[in-house]
Amino acid sequence: MWPGQIQQFRKFGEDFAMQHKDSEYLGEVEEELQMAVLEAIPAERYARRLRERPNDELQTAVLEAIPAEKRVRGLSPEEVLGGLSEEQVTGLRELLERRGGS
């Protein structure tokens, strides 16, 4: 290997390391910017977006982030039961009977 080639490899390694460091920093900056934008969007705008695109993966991600207890808190008993299968209703009935009997 020629001395000039060794210098080229060293320089290439330094350049590569700097590019990697810059891309890592840019990734952090991008994430911070995204979070700042999300925090600035009013909740009603989020809600409107979710209503307009009900099958969107954003809706699924938001729902998965909310605990089940909070998701059903605003629902009437009819709304809660309306989405259950017969098997689930039977299981719920048995649970309520055990709870009432204790």
Side-chain angles (χ1 to χ4, degrees), residues 12-74:
F12 176 75
E14 291 170 6
D15 290 346
F16 180 80
M18 290 303 290
Q19 287 174 355
H20 179 69
K21 184 178 178 184
D22 289 344
S23 67
E24 192 174 301
Y25 172 74
L26 289 175
E28 291 172 11
V29 170
E30 180 182 13
E31 188 171 329
E32 287 178 25
L33 285 171
Q34 287 175 349
M35 291 304 294
V37 168
L38 289 173
E39 289 170 357
I41 298 172
E44 179 50 39
R45 184 176 247 169
Y46 274 128
R48 184 173 60 236
R49 166 74 162 75
L50 294 173
R51 283 191 302 272
E52 290 171 359
R53 298 186 187 176
N55 294 323
D56 191 21
E57 65 186 56
L58 174 61
Q59 185 179 39
T60 302
V62 169
L63 288 173
E64 288 174 352
I66 300 169
E69 299 80 27
K70 280 190 172 185
R71 291 194 310 256
V72 298
R73 192 175 293 152

Side-chain angles (χ1 to χ4, degrees), residues 50-98:
L50 294 173
R51 283 191 302 272
E52 290 171 359
R53 298 186 187 176
N55 294 323
D56 191 21
E57 65 186 56
L58 174 61
Q59 185 179 39
T60 302
V62 169
L63 288 173
E64 288 174 352
I66 300 169
E69 299 80 27
K70 280 190 172 185
R71 291 194 310 256
V72 298
R73 192 175 293 152
L75 299 177
S76 70
E78 291 80 11
E79 290 172 316
V80 172
L81 291 174
L84 298 179
S85 68
E86 283 300 318
E87 184 178 299
Q88 290 171 317
V89 170
T90 301
L92 181 58
R93 186 176 293 120
E94 291 170 1
L95 178 64
L96 288 171
E97 287 172 1
R98 282 195 308 260

